[in-house]
Amino acid sequence: MKYVPTLCILTVLLTLFTFAQTSTPTPAVAPNSETENSSGTAQSTTTAKVLTEASPKSSSPDAFAREYVKKDAPAAIPQFAAAPAIDGQLNDAVWQNAAVFGDFLQTQPGDNVKPSFPTEVLMGYDAKNLYIAFRIVQDRNTVRATVARRDNIFDDDYVGMYLDTFNDKRQAYAIFLNPLGVQADGTFSEGRGEDYSVDLVMESKGVLTENGFTIEIAIPFKSLRYEAGKDKQWGLMLFRRVKSANNELNSWTPNDRSASGSLNKAGHITGLEGIETTRQLEINPSLTLSESGRRTRFTFDSDPTGRFVNDGLKGEVGLTVKYSLTPTITLDFAYNPDFAQVEADAPVTSANQRFPIFFSEKRPFFLERIDIFQSPLSVVNTRAIVDPDIAAKLTGRRGKNTFGILYASDNAPGNFSKDERTDLLLCKQQQLTDPTVVCGTERFINKNADIGVLRFKRDVGKENSLGFFATSYNFVDLHNYVGGFDGRFRLDPKTVGEFQVLGTHSRRNFYDSNLDAISYRTGNGVGYRAYLERSSRNLYMNFLAEGRTPDYRANVGFTPRTDTNYFGSYIQYRTEKDAKKAIIYKEFWNETNVRTDGLGRMQYWITNSRGTLALQKQTFIGLNLQYGAERVYEHEFGPVRSLTQQGAFFGPSAQRGANFRAFQAFIESTPNKQWYLFFFTDNTWGVMDYDFGGGPDFPRASFAAQTLGQNAPLDPGAGYQLMIEAVARYQPTTAFQTQLRYNKIKLTRNDTGLVAFDDNLFSSRSTYQFTRNTFARLRLDYSTLAHRMLPQLVIGWTPSPGTAIYAGYSDNFNVNGRNPFISFNDPLSREQGLHSNGRTFFIKMSYLFKKSF
């Protein structure tokens, strides 16, 4: 408890520091001469002239006296004799020799019409770097620009590109920048969208001008995977987003709304010859120092409430090594690659949840080329590799072939907690006097799981591909193997189809509901997926069928449910957009799907219809109506009833079900630079309560539990559920942002009128960005159901990918909660005030060493 005042003081200081700033660091106005003030910030000495698209040959300092490159032929990129200074000010003479891209079109909300403001992009290269500059015209007072963290720029105005370096129309680098040059980078894949988990080493700078902003970028070729040389072409899409103009999107290439896809609509660049090809070695060591405390039930004074102990200072060394065998093939190795503490997972309500909850990957080693291993059925979910000692992977592309090989040795399955190890020691002591005692965990402790992944994909034709997956997971008595094929095909300009089929083989424990027993046996399973998508100017639709058999297991992947088949459709109609009208566009969609088990019995069906109005100032209002039904079966929850065995369900029926209907409404708005607001409510009549109970405050509310006690058989039944989500984000300065989020979910049983559970999640997240590279982030989460408060404070310095220092504190408090070591039926289990369950102080450091050969 002595650390709680410290946390409060740090919170108050951070808040006071933020609001004490009467002015924040303002980006300099780009000059035509290089005058600087005492702080080194460039100051304007002249007034820039406004660029007009109608006169690209203007002799103004803000326009170039050359024609724009043509869009219907590959644009030749010139080689620079000297490198420009990346300072955001386009005053280097070398830019006069650049290829100039202009004549942008408004593609959202307009349909390839004249944009609200003109845009120019300049491009050139030398042996080491690709150079790109953006010259943006806009009323400076409407420009949205903040000192943001990397990849966190999309509430600002931004510019950027898709760079398809293999020109395969399947995947591209996604590189975007806000007006200050803060980067958001990752990959874009057809069918999966953007993924900003990958960070490229590149240099960028942006400055605000009198009539907009300018940005310069230098992208080292060694940061990219590419094919270059004589007559080689790269796909290129250039974009600009204007938030104040109803989130207007401008594009260099037109967008044909009657055809699906993105990269197939790209323009092209060529002429990238004489690039310096090197083999790149990157060594990235890391050191983590931490001091943790925890609450334990093992005490020296037999205190039944447990005690808090400190585990002492702990040091962990990590290492990642990357070696570029060729510009397209990379070998990665990692020892203890875990940086997960820096970014905590957002809390979610687990009450009444039957199936696992997915959490995204955050560790840099696994994020590198994660796109290669992704697929719709989630064969590979790297979060399944919890705490690897070592890991290695080989990823790359050769011609039309893309491949990835991954191996990891995960110590998490055999890494038992200190309390669990103490239990084992006590068990072994009992064995000395009673040989019949079995210490079941002894053969698992300190054992590692071996995990392997193989991925291969080949391009077929212009926009088709076929692929293969294989994974293995081996740990003591758990052995799992998965293999299968997948493909993506463009059937015509409007239609895309996908398929995936998998087979699984497992040697492991399976639960048998007929015998109410776990048996160690072999199990084989099948998973399948078929998808068809058709897109036209105003109408979009897709159809999906997928399923998994009862014995399907994929331990390296993510499997929410087995013994299920899903068949569904999604149809959307959107009216023409007009940014000048009060209602910019209207959108209507319906999704209808049904789930059945392997015997054809219905598990779930729903039809969901929504209408949305898009209004001015990025405001959206929508209403949903849902109808459907759910059925649950005894074998999914436990033993199946028989003459000799009681079933999992109370009463005469081995199945339960309910019809439901729901009304949902939402409003979302970004009225100005400072505010983002979102509100959503869901009222559902007929939601199934699975009768798990909602913790000590909400014991089981079913009829069976009320009449026979809390140990009665399960009694699933229908109820009324209320869900509320509200978000308010406030950005008073370019450096400070704070967000409050509230989530409520409450379920009340129909048969008893009792509340099954009621959870209110409050989340606060505040960030002060001192510079582009230095930040402080305070996060606080509180759940009324769990009576848990989770604070985390992190201060970081991240000058470039791979080089960083983080210092942080995290805690886990009971707030008027229950003692975990006393039965919640005992009146003594209730604890008043704050009681820490575990806390950690940590410092994480890493530095990237690079060497070219």
Side-chain angles (χ1 to χ4, degrees):
M1 291 300 298
K2 64 181 179 180
Y3 295 103
V4 175
T6 304
L7 174 63
C8 298
I9 292 171
L10 289 172
T11 304
V12 172
L13 288 176
L14 180 59
T15 305
L16 290 175
F17 179 82
T18 300
F19 289 100
Q21 310 302 308
T22 57
S23 62
T24 56
T26 302
V29 177
N32 289 324
S33 62
E34 297 179 353
T35 303
E36 295 187 349
N37 62 13
S38 59
S39 65
T41 304
Q43 299 294 307
S44 175
T45 57
T46 61
T47 301
K49 297 181 177 63
V50 175
L51 170 69
T52 62
E53 292 257 20
S55 56
K57 292 186 177 181
S58 168
S59 59
S60 161
D62 288 308
F64 290 83
R66 286 185 294 116
E67 296 284 352
Y68 294 143
V69 299
K70 298 187 181 302
K71 302 179 182 181
D72 56 358
I77 305 302
Q79 187 168 12
F80 287 168
I86 305 302
D87 55 12
Q89 305 172 41
L90 309 186
N91 49 14
D92 296 273
V94 68
W95 286 118
Q96 298 292 333
N97 301 319
V100 187
F101 300 76
D103 292 327
F104 277 57
L105 299 170
Q106 182 188 143
T107 58
Q108 293 179 10
D111 183 16
N112 300 318
V113 300
K114 184 178 179 179
S116 300
F117 306 99
T119 302
E120 276 189 349
V121 180
L122 295 80
M123 194 174 299
Y125 79 101
D126 61 19
K128 294 184 178 181
N129 299 298
L130 178 66
Y131 300 101
I132 305 166
F134 289 83
R135 187 190 300 279
I136 301 300
V137 172
Q138 187 176 335
D139 180 355
R140 175 171 174 154
N141 294 325
T142 67
V143 174
R144 299 187 183 182
T146 61
V147 185
R149 286 191 66 191
R150 191 186 194 109
D151 298 335
N152 195 30
I153 69 169
F154 295 108
D155 296 320
D156 295 342
D157 291 337
Y158 60 85
V159 297
M161 73 200 79
Y162 289 160
L163 201 58
D164 183 359
T165 55
F166 291 98
N167 195 30
D168 61 6
K169 300 178 178 63
R170 294 163 177 83
Q171 187 180 64
Y173 289 100
I175 301 171
F176 293 91
L177 307 102
N178 78 355
L180 306 185
V182 181
Q183 303 160 7
D185 50 349
T187 59
F188 171 83
S189 300
E190 289 288 1
R192 290 197 299 272
E194 296 170 347
D195 179 0
Y196 291 97
S197 58
V198 176
D199 291 332
L200 302 177
V201 177
M202 58 183 174
E203 186 180 0
S204 62
K205 181 68 182 295
V207 294
L208 296 184
T209 66
E210 293 289 348
N211 65 329
F213 57 93
T214 55
I215 299 174
E216 289 181 301
I217 320 163
I219 307 175
F221 288 114
K222 61 188 178 184
S223 293
L224 304 174
R225 299 190 183 191
Y226 61 89
E227 288 183 350
K230 187 175 178 59
D231 299 327
K232 292 288 186 180
Q233 296 183 18
W234 290 6
L236 176 69
M237 302 184 77
L238 298 169
F239 303 103
R240 173 193 180 179
R241 180 73 74 175
V242 188
K243 291 291 184 177
S244 61
N246 290 309
N247 210 31
E248 178 180 318
L249 180 66
N250 300 329
S251 172
W252 173 58
T253 50
N255 179 28
D256 182 0
R257 293 183 180 177
S258 63
S260 67
S262 295
L263 298 180
N264 55 328
K265 304 171 186 176
H268 295 87
I269 59 176
T270 189
L272 300 175
E273 303 176 17
I275 295 175
E276 183 179 287
T277 301
T278 62
R279 292 185 177 182
Q280 183 80 1
L281 176 64
E282 298 181 3
I283 302 176
N284 194 194
S286 65
L287 173 64
T288 304
L289 301 175
S290 63
E291 192 280 328
S292 297
R294 60 190 172 87
R295 200 173 188 180
T296 178
R297 67 179 182 275
F298 295 105
T299 65
F300 296 105
D301 53 7
S302 300
D303 183 355
T305 64
R307 63 192 297 267
F308 198 90
V309 299
N310 291 312
D311 291 334
L313 185 65
K314 180 182 178 182
E316 285 188 289
V317 175
L319 176 69
T320 59
V321 179
K322 180 191 301 292
Y323 184 56
S324 301
L325 302 176
T326 72
T328 64
I329 301 174
T330 301
L331 176 65
D332 293 86
F333 170 81
Y335 166 74
N336 195 26
D338 188 4
F339 252 60
Q341 276 179 293
V342 174
E343 185 73 37
D345 291 317
V348 295
T349 298
S350 58
N352 210 41
Q353 290 285 344
R354 293 177 59 193
F355 308 111
I357 299 172
F358 178 81
F359 292 98
S360 59
E361 181 60 84
K362 297 175 181 177
R363 295 166 293 181
F365 171 81
F366 292 107
L367 291 174
E368 174 70 18
R369 292 314 311 265
I370 195 173
D371 55 280
I372 292 178
F373 301 101
Q374 291 175 330
S375 70
L377 283 179
S378 189
V379 183
V380 179
N381 171 33
T382 51
R383 286 291 290 261
I385 308 172
V386 181
D387 188 14
D389 287 332
I390 60 171
K393 62 181 175 181
L394 180 70
T395 57
R397 180 184 176 95
R398 192 68 180 266
K400 295 185 177 183
N401 302 317
T402 302
F403 60 89
I405 302 171
L406 171 67
Y407 168 78
S409 179
D410 188 4
N411 69 23
N415 187 15
F416 290 76
S417 68
K418 290 192 175 183
D419 284 358
E420 290 171 325
R421 292 171 185 267
T422 302
D423 283 334
L424 178 59
L425 289 175
L426 295 175
C427 179
K428 292 177 72 67
Q429 291 176 1
Q430 291 179 351
Q431 279 184 331
L432 298 176
T433 57
D434 185 358
T436 63
V437 172
V438 177
C439 301
T441 61
E442 184 174 8
R443 59 199 184 94
F444 300 108
I445 199 163
N446 294 329
K447 298 294 193 302
N448 279 28
D450 289 317
I451 299 167
V453 178
L454 170 64
R455 171 61 162 158
F456 177 81
K457 185 167 66 173
R458 180 173 176 81
D459 297 343
V460 180
K462 289 185 177 181
E463 297 180 57
N464 311 315
S465 63
L466 284 170
F468 171 77
F469 265 111
T471 71
S472 67
Y473 187 101
N474 290 282
F475 174 73
V476 190
D477 291 340
L478 174 56
H479 308 280
N480 175 249
Y481 305 93
V482 179
F485 297 90
D486 65 314
R488 178 179 172 87
F489 304 92
R490 178 168 293 281
L491 306 178
D492 61 45
K494 297 182 180 182
T495 311
V496 173
E498 297 179 355
F499 83 91
Q500 188 168 15
V501 58
L502 300 168
T504 71
H505 175 80
S506 304
R507 185 69 179 167
R508 55 173 294 161
N509 288 322
F510 287 89
Y511 174 73
D512 188 332
S513 59
N514 292 311
L515 301 176
D516 190 23
I518 294 175
S519 60
Y520 185 75
R521 63 175 177 84
T522 298
N524 297 314
V526 173
Y528 68 91
R529 181 181 188 271
Y531 175 80
L532 185 68
E533 172 187 285
R534 184 170 177 82
S535 178
S536 60
R537 181 177 179 82
N538 301 103
L539 184 65
Y540 169 86
M541 60 184 70
N542 68 54
F543 305 91
L544 173 64
E546 69 174 27
R548 304 174 186 88
T549 59
D551 282 356
Y552 176 97
R553 299 292 186 272
N555 285 77
V556 186
F558 177 78
T559 305
R561 188 173 190 176
T562 60
D563 190 18
T564 188
N565 300 279
Y566 172 99
F567 307 96
S569 67
Y570 176 89
I571 300 174
Q572 172 190 293
Y573 178 80
R574 179 178 292 175
T575 63
E576 294 293 333
K577 299 180 180 180
D578 189 339
K580 297 180 181 179
K581 292 184 177 180
I583 299 178
I584 299 173
Y585 67 85
K586 306 175 185 122
E587 181 181 277
F588 308 93
W589 58 253
N590 172 269
E591 61 174 344
T592 300
N593 60 69
V594 61
R595 284 188 179 274
T596 65
D597 65 12
L599 299 177
R601 294 177 297 184
M602 192 271 286
Q603 296 172 327
Y604 190 87
W605 78 266
I606 184 174
T607 180
N608 180 20
S609 299
R610 171 184 288 185
T612 302
L613 299 179
L615 311 176
Q616 296 289 326
K617 295 191 175 182
Q618 298 181 65
T619 300
F620 304 88
I621 299 175
L623 298 176
N624 280 43
L625 292 176
Q626 294 180 349
Y627 296 93
E630 182 177 8
R631 301 288 184 269
V632 294
Y633 303 95
E634 204 167 47
H635 73 276
E636 299 176 292
F637 293 80
V640 175
R641 63 190 62 205
S642 67
L643 294 176
T644 60
Q645 178 174 276
Q646 181 180 356
F649 286 173
F650 170 79
S653 177
Q655 73 174 52
R656 300 293 173 87
N659 299 325
F660 65 82
R661 65 189 189 280
F663 172 79
Q664 301 167 343
F666 76 90
I667 181 169
E668 179 181 12
S669 182
T670 310
N672 53 43
K673 294 181 180 182
Q674 286 78 34
W675 286 99
Y676 167 82
L677 303 169
F678 176 79
F679 179 82
F680 169 83
T681 181
D682 176 353
N683 294 266
T684 304
W685 295 265
V687 168
M688 288 294 294
D689 169 38
Y690 304 123
D691 199 22
F692 298 149
D697 291 347
F698 296 96
R700 293 170 53 197
S702 65
F703 174 79
Q706 299 306 304
T707 56
L708 301 179
Q710 292 294 305
N711 293 323
L714 292 176
D715 188 11
Y720 164 72
Q721 180 173 279
L722 170 67
M723 293 180 62
I724 296 174
E725 180 180 359
V727 180
R729 185 175 65 240
Y730 180 53
Q731 179 115 26
T733 73
T734 61
F736 178 72
Q737 179 184 110
T738 185
Q739 175 176 291
L740 297 175
R741 179 184 293 270
Y742 169 68
N743 292 82
K744 179 183 183 67
I745 179 169
K746 178 181 179 180
L747 177 58
T748 305
R749 294 274 302 214
N750 290 342
D751 52 2
T752 63
L754 298 175
V755 176
F757 65 90
D758 184 3
D759 194 10
N760 298 272
L761 284 172
F762 300 88
S763 296
S764 169
R765 182 186 177 103
S766 299
T767 302
Y768 195 95
Q769 200 76 31
F770 301 98
T771 68
R772 284 175 57 176
N773 303 326
T774 308
F775 71 92
R777 182 178 67 243
L778 177 64
R779 179 170 182 163
L780 186 65
D781 300 297
Y782 172 64
S783 166
T784 60
L785 181 64
H787 290 280
R788 290 288 175 87
M789 183 172 66
L790 307 173
Q792 186 192 54
L793 175 65
V794 177
I795 299 174
W797 178 63
T798 56
S800 62
T803 298
I805 298 177
Y806 300 98
Y809 156 77
S810 61
D811 213 318
N812 181 330
F813 290 105
N814 271 4
V815 182
N816 297 325
R818 303 276 183 169
N819 187 293
F821 309 127
I822 301 178
S823 170
F824 68 82
N825 294 318
D826 189 327
L828 294 178
S829 67
R830 175 69 75 179
E831 299 177 322
Q832 297 300 317
L834 296 178
H835 293 267
S836 180
N837 298 304
R839 61 170 175 260
T840 299
F841 296 87
F842 64 88
I843 297 176
K844 290 177 174 285
M845 299 171 283
S846 68
Y847 186 81
L848 180 61
F849 297 90
K850 296 185 291 184
K851 177 70 175 178
S852 299
F853 300 93

